[in-house]
Amino acid sequence: VQLQASGGGLVQAGGSLRLSCAASGSTFSTYAMAWFRQAPGKEREIVAAISRSGTNTYYKDFVQSRFTISRDNVKNTVYLQMNSLKPEDTAIYFCAASRYFLVETIRDYAYWGQGTQVTVSS
């Protein structure tokens, strides 16, 4: 599956962004999906994940109910709605696909999008 992330940009602290990740192919619904992020000089870390059907979701603690992950298996797209953004949310955000839900390590994700830059100014 090929993934194409979009929706990043520059936003002031407290603002919102909605990231999208469009997948090619007819197997999108067979993959759990996740969003990761990587800030300069830091390791890539998981932000949120969603199960194949979209019924179950997982968020890293630092999200603190500010972000919402969702998916549309008809449109083959996964979303990350980010509200109340903070400067520390500045990073490149990547979408990724895995056969397994609730896995956090990079090696568990077979497919990756190219990343979209999110910059939050103070």
Side-chain angles (χ1 to χ4, degrees):
V1 61
Q2 292 184 321
L3 304 174
Q4 180 74 35
S6 62
L10 173 63
V11 64
Q12 289 187 332
S16 298
L17 283 174
R18 189 194 196 202
L19 306 183
S20 299
C21 175
S24 64
S26 59
T27 61
F28 176 72
S29 62
T30 67
Y31 290 92
M33 298 297 296
W35 287 95
F36 283 74
R37 72 184 187 184
Q38 188 167 17
K42 295 188 177 181
E43 294 186 351
R44 194 171 298 187
E45 61 181 352
I46 193 167
V47 175
I50 189 166
S51 60
R52 295 177 184 84
S53 66
T55 302
N56 300 108
T57 56
Y58 164 80
Y59 298 95
K60 202 65 177 177
D61 290 345
F62 59 75
V63 168
Q64 299 174 331
S65 302
R66 301 180 295 126
F67 298 177
T68 302
I69 189 171
S70 61
R71 67 188 296 163
D72 185 331
N73 285 346
V74 174
K75 295 182 178 179
N76 284 2
T77 302
V78 61
Y79 306 96
L80 185 68
Q81 177 67 45
M82 304 187 294
N83 299 327
S84 302
L85 283 161
K86 305 175 182 180
E88 51 263 43
D89 294 318
T90 295
I92 300 174
Y93 284 70
F94 300 87
C95 56
S98 174
R99 290 293 189 186
Y100 311 103
F101 178 51
L102 285 182
V103 290
E104 297 193 22
T105 58
I106 295 173
R107 65 176 179 268
D108 291 314
Y109 289 83
Y111 302 100
W112 291 83
Q114 85 288 3
T116 185
Q117 176 71 47
V118 172
T119 303
V120 185
S121 63
S122 57

